[in-house]
């Protein structure tokens, strides 16, 4: 190919001539839509017959089980009742059980008066920090108890008495429960697990606890939840055959339209690979079909009401095909988010209809509630301080990582290369095509730089600046990948001029999501501790994490160097910083033609990220299941003398 170099003109440092900050998010949403595209036809075929509907339901259930990740083995619950509160017509028991050894779950059990066995209900809490003590959830539990149900209200991890990231005094170290959920899900992902699975297991063991209670008719069991609790409910009922009736209020499971409208949500909702598995918001209710299911919605909820209607309609097609259309219902009230009084009444009436054969309306009277302190199950208000041997999820993640490290041992470089290749897949390194668009040039501090846009089929455009040494015959080519973007290098061009004076050609590039294509701050809530949370989670949703995508960018840059006359014959080196380092480490292991990789500072190992779970920007580095295969020190050993740490 030719040199691609154009004549000098005056211009600024940016290469892309559109709103470049939207490039990566637009690309990722396009990938998401492409993944979901076959789903409509699949659903159409499924709705034509009962066997087709059942096959579709079973297919999405299998896909969900795969992306959810592994679940622990059942171990003794060691359940205890730490207190009882007598109320008019029912009592509240304070329950603690171990979902896994030394990992305690706090819950309140509402038990109606009377000796007859009664249906059992699991109530899953949304993201309110008070959790089981939240007034709306207390009133929901009381109303159910008044109408003949035994109700277990469970504190989710990172809420109520179950904060996981605390100091020695039990004080939370993060910004709140949704931040904890998100940080925990990043750590779980490195192990090939998910926080939604960890929450589901707590709830599964709560159901096991109900089976131990003589007051509960275990043939009549159901569940419901609001907001984040509705997502817990959806995930739970999808896999739990013992659930006979369910209700979802302000349902917010991540799906195609949600990701487009509001972006990724909290970590307890997000499942890496859900997009690749074509799991959309209606698929979880479909997994429950044709058991009785009530959808509770607020017409003015921030959860998109049109989407709730659409998801209910999709679910309804499967219920219709299975011959049970009356067992799905949508109740809408003119209010917003949450399980308000009309929705509580509708929920209790729905459960009464199916468990008691009673279609009478339910009317809520004045309901007294208790304080958070009165409902506490532990003596200190936190399991972390109440149990000296409590195993938090961060501690559990770290222990698993250490076991995996001992099992891996020290692999030779060839084995590490194979592991990296297998874990990333061919999409990280195979460049299907390359189109090179030379643009104008710019002069900065006496240095002339040529602008290029690199395009590969199925990938976002890559902006590049190239500076050639005197005589245009380089002795080596440096691919420079700065975390802050290529423009940051031009702010102080002394190092750039030094490279050129040594006969080095410099290729300055912004990997996707860096530099020109940095996602605007406004789209990345600081509570998630990640400056590119939207794009990182969208990438994980598609099953192709940012690290893998940035490795593909490096492969494209290598092809560009090989295809350009002035650059093709010289040895290739990389210099990287920040979020570009992990992709550069992987790329160098996979490509021996990279003769040297220089980094100012090595990143924390993946295991160190588990040791410090509140580390910022962790999601930028997440490769699901990576610790089952290798850690960053394995890459460093495989590179040997090709890796240089410190100033070049």
């Amino acid at each position: 190919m030719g040199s691609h170099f154009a004549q000098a003109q005056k211009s600024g440092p940016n290469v892309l001539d559109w709103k470049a900050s939207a490039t990566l998010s637009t690309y990722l949403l396009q990938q998401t839509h492409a993944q979901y595209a076959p789903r409509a036809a699949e659903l159409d075929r499924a709705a034509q017959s009962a066997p087709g509907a059942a096959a579709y339901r079973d297919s999405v259930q299998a896909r969900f089980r795969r992306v959810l990740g592994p679940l622990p083995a059942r171990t003794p619950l060691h359940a205890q009742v730490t207190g009882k509160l007598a109320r008019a017509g029912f009592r509240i028991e304070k329950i603690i059980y171990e979902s896994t050894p030394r990992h305690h779950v706090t819950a309140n059990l509402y038990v109606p008066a009377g000796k007859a066995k009664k249906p059992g209900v699991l109530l899953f809490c949304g993201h309110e920090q008070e959790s089981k003590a939240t007034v709306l959830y207390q009133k929901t539990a009381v109303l159910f108890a008044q109408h003949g149900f035994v109700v277990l209200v469970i504190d989710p991890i990172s809420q109520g008495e179950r904060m996981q990231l605390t100091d020695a005094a039990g004080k939370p170290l993060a910004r709140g429960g949704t931040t904890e959920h998100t940080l925990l899900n990043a750590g779980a992902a490195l192990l090939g697990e998910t926080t939604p699975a960890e929450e589901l297991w707590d709830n599964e063991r709560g159901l096991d606890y109900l089976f131990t209670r003589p007051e509960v008719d275990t043939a009549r069991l159901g569940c419901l939840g609001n907001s984040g609790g509705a997502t817990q409910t959806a995930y739970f009922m999808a896999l739990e055959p013992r659930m006979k009736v369910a209700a979802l209020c302000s349902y917010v499971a991540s799906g195609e339209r949600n990701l487009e409208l509001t972006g990724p949500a909290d970590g307890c909702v997000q499942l890496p690979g859900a997009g690749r598995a074509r799991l959309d918001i209606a698929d979880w209710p479909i997994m429950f079909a044709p058991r009785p299911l009530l959808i509770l919605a607020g017409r003015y909820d921030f959860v998109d009401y049109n989407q709730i209607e659409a998801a209910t309609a999709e679910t309804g097609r499967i219920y219709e095909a299975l011959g049970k259309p009356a067992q799905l219902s949508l109740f809408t009230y003119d209010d917003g988010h949450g399980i308000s009084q009309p929705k509580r009444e509708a929920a209790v009436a729905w459960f009464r209809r199916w468990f008691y054969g009673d279609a009478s309306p339910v009317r809520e009277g004045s309901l007294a509630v208790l304080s958070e302190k009165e409902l506490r199950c532990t003596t200190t208000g936190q399991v972390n301080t109440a149990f000296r041997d409590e195993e938090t999820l961060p501690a559990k993640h770290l222990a698993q990582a250490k076991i995996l490290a001992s099992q891996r041992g020290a692999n030779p470089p060839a084995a590490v290369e194979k592991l990296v290749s297998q874990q990333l897949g061919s999409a990280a390194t195979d460049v299907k095509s390359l189109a090179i668009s030379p643009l104008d040039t710019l002069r900065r501090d006496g240095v002339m730089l040529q602008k290029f846009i690199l395009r590969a089929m199925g990938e976002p455009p890559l902006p590049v600046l190239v500076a050639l040494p005197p005589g245009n015959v380089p002795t080596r080519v440096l691919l420079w990948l700065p975390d802050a973007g290529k423009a940051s290098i031009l702010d102080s061009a002394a190092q750039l001029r030094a490279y050129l004076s040594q006969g080095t050609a410099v290729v300055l590039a912004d990997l996707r999501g860096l530099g020109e294509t940095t996602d605007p701050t406004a789209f990345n809530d600081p509570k998630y501790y990640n400056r590119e949370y939207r794009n990182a989670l969208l990438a994980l949703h598609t099953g192709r994490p940012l690290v893998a995508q940035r490795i593909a960018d490096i492969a494209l840059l290598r092809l560009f160097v090989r295809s350009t006359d002035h650059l093709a014959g010289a040895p290739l080196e990389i210099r990287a910083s920040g979020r570009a380092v992990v992709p550069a480490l992987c790329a160098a292991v996979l490509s021996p033609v990279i003769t040297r990789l220089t980094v100012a500072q090595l990143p924390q190992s993946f295991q160190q990220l588990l040791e410090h779970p509140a580390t910022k920007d962790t999601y930028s580095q997440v490769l699901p299941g990576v610790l089952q295969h290798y850690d960053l020190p394995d890459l460093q050993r495989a590179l040997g003398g090709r890796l240089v740490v410190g100033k070049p």
Side-chain angles (χ1 to χ4, degrees):
M1 298 176 68
S3 68
H4 310 294
F5 285 83
Q7 296 298 312
Q9 299 178 23
K10 272 192 170 183
S11 67
N14 286 347
V15 173
L16 305 179
D17 61 354
W18 58 84
K19 189 177 179 181
S21 61
T23 299
L24 183 52
S25 59
T26 300
Y27 167 79
L28 291 169
L29 286 170
Q30 289 170 353
Q31 297 297 301
T32 299
H33 294 321
Q35 288 179 327
Y36 281 113
R39 183 179 174 276
E42 292 171 356
L43 194 61
D44 284 342
R45 289 192 297 270
Q48 300 307 308
S49 67
Y56 180 86
R57 177 196 61 203
D58 296 345
S59 171
V60 292
Q61 188 178 67
R63 282 179 263 152
F64 170 48
R65 186 65 192 85
R66 187 171 63 251
V67 300
L68 181 67
L71 296 173
R74 276 184 164 79
T75 51
L77 285 169
H78 297 305
Q80 53 183 303
V81 178
T82 62
K84 297 181 181 181
L85 301 169
R87 313 299 287 164
F90 66 96
R91 70 181 183 274
I92 302 173
E93 297 189 11
K94 303 176 181 183
I95 309 298
I96 302 177
Y97 60 87
E98 296 179 30
S99 59
T100 56
R102 298 180 292 107
H103 184 67
H104 293 85
V105 180
T106 47
N108 290 154
L109 185 70
Y110 292 69
V111 184
K115 294 184 178 180
K117 288 181 177 288
K118 297 175 176 61
V121 173
L122 293 158
L123 174 57
F124 302 134
C125 301
H127 287 147
E128 294 84 357
Q129 199 60 40
E130 298 86 356
S131 193
K132 64 185 181 302
T134 302
V135 168
L136 295 181
Y137 303 145
Q138 286 193 59
K139 288 187 174 182
T140 302
V142 170
L143 191 62
F144 268 95
Q146 288 178 340
H147 286 82
F149 295 89
V150 179
V151 186
L152 186 66
V153 191
I154 300 171
D155 275 340
I157 54 172
S158 307
Q159 293 171 235
E161 299 178 74
R162 300 190 62 217
M163 301 305 291
Q164 301 294 297
L165 298 174
T166 66
D167 62 17
K171 182 179 178 181
L173 297 175
R175 292 179 52 156
T178 54
T179 297
E180 269 203 15
H181 287 155
T182 303
L183 296 173
L184 293 171
N185 201 31
L190 294 170
L191 297 162
E193 301 179 1
T194 66
T195 291
E198 292 166 332
E199 277 195 334
L200 185 144
W201 190 246
D202 289 341
N203 299 333
E204 188 75 16
R205 302 314 313 278
L207 176 58
D208 290 345
Y209 175 72
L210 283 183
F211 267 73
T212 71
R213 296 295 304 225
E215 304 92 341
V216 176
D217 178 357
T218 56
R220 293 183 292 168
L221 295 167
C223 58
L224 78 157
N226 170 66
S227 189
T231 300
Q232 289 184 64
T233 304
Y235 291 169
F236 183 76
M237 71 188 195
L239 297 180
E240 181 44 76
R242 293 177 288 181
M243 292 294 97
K244 301 300 191 292
V245 178
L248 302 171
C249 182
S250 295
Y251 177 42
V252 292
S254 194
E256 181 179 7
R257 184 66 174 151
N258 271 351
L259 291 169
E260 186 174 48
L261 286 174
T262 58
D266 308 316
C268 57
V269 172
Q270 301 299 143
L271 291 165
R276 183 172 57 190
R278 300 188 310 285
L279 292 171
D280 206 358
I281 187 170
D283 286 320
W284 282 275
I286 285 172
M287 292 179 220
F288 194 65
R291 289 168 283 175
L293 174 63
L294 175 65
I295 308 293
L296 302 163
R299 197 177 303 276
Y300 306 105
D301 199 333
F302 61 79
V303 175
D304 181 48
Y305 180 72
N306 291 332
Q307 188 180 3
I308 294 298
E309 282 190 313
T312 304
E314 285 188 351
T315 306
R317 297 177 66 191
I318 298 300
Y319 273 76
E320 182 79 34
L322 293 171
K324 302 286 186 180
Q327 296 194 174
L328 174 70
S329 183
L330 171 64
F331 174 84
T332 300
Y333 192 69
D334 279 357
D335 64 2
H337 196 73
I339 189 161
S340 57
Q341 179 177 332
K343 296 170 190 169
R344 295 194 294 271
E345 293 171 342
V348 174
W350 181 257
F351 279 68
R352 289 278 308 176
R353 173 183 171 184
W354 297 105
F355 282 148
Y356 282 101
D358 179 6
S360 304
V362 170
R363 294 289 177 260
E364 178 180 298
S366 177
L367 301 180
V369 296
L370 299 172
S371 69
E372 184 274 336
K373 188 173 182 179
E374 289 174 302
L375 292 172
R376 281 182 186 171
C377 304
T378 62
T379 55
T380 64
Q382 286 295 324
V383 292
N384 276 0
T385 51
F387 298 97
R388 294 180 60 184
D389 63 345
E390 176 71 9
E391 184 176 51
T392 64
L393 287 180
K396 186 182 298 185
H397 293 165
L398 182 58
Q400 289 176 251
K402 289 179 177 178
I403 292 171
L404 289 171
S406 66
Q407 293 172 345
R408 286 195 309 266
N411 287 307
V416 173
E417 179 184 349
K418 184 177 180 180
L419 287 170
V420 174
S421 179
Q422 290 174 341
Q423 208 262 337
L424 292 172
S426 61
T429 54
D430 291 350
V431 179
K432 299 180 180 65
S433 64
L434 172 62
I436 302 172
S437 300
L439 305 177
D440 58 349
T441 62
L442 70 101
R443 185 179 293 276
R444 183 64 60 90
D445 293 340
V447 176
M448 186 73 70
L449 298 108
Q450 173 74 53
K451 295 182 178 182
F452 295 93
I453 298 177
L454 309 185
R455 292 180 170 90
M457 186 181 298
E459 303 293 345
L462 206 62
V464 174
L465 296 174
V466 177
L468 294 175
N472 295 342
V473 182
T475 57
R476 60 174 177 160
V477 176
L478 177 69
L479 178 54
W480 200 341
L481 309 173
D483 179 86
K486 60 191 182 316
S488 65
I489 305 304
L490 301 183
D491 291 338
S492 177
Q495 289 187 70
L496 180 56
R497 289 197 302 271
Y499 278 123
L500 296 175
S501 68
Q502 298 165 7
T504 302
V506 177
V507 178
L508 277 168
D510 290 339
L511 300 183
R512 66 187 73 187
L514 305 181
E516 289 185 58
T517 56
T518 297
D519 204 34
T521 302
F523 294 110
N524 295 279
D525 193 321
K527 76 174 182 176
Y528 293 130
Y529 287 22
N530 194 285
R531 58 187 134 163
E532 53 182 352
Y533 184 77
R534 175 170 70 158
N535 286 340
L537 269 291
L538 284 172
L540 286 170
H541 189 78
T542 68
R544 193 178 174 215
L546 278 184
V547 170
Q549 296 196 35
R550 287 169 175 162
I551 294 168
D553 289 341
I554 296 173
L556 181 64
L557 289 162
R558 282 177 30 234
L559 182 57
F560 166 67
V561 170
R562 292 203 310 269
S563 304
T564 302
D565 289 345
H566 290 298
L567 309 175
L572 177 62
E573 300 182 7
I574 294 180
R575 178 176 175 180
S577 62
R579 289 165 289 171
V581 172
V582 173
L585 283 167
C586 293
V589 167
L590 292 171
S591 179
V593 302
I594 298 170
T595 60
R596 176 181 292 188
L597 169 60
T598 300
V599 298
Q601 183 177 0
L602 285 172
Q604 288 185 316
S605 69
F606 295 126
Q607 184 169 311
Q608 285 175 311
L609 292 175
L610 296 180
E611 292 172 1
H612 306 285
T615 301
K616 299 287 182 69
D617 293 331
T618 294
Y619 277 102
S620 300
Q621 316 295 354
V622 164
L623 288 166
V626 66
L627 286 172
Q628 297 177 16
H629 308 286
Y630 59 88
D631 200 347
L632 298 183
D634 298 311
L635 306 185
Q636 295 159 25
R637 284 191 295 270
L639 290 173
R642 295 165 58 205
L643 176 63
V644 177
V645 181
K647 292 184 178 181

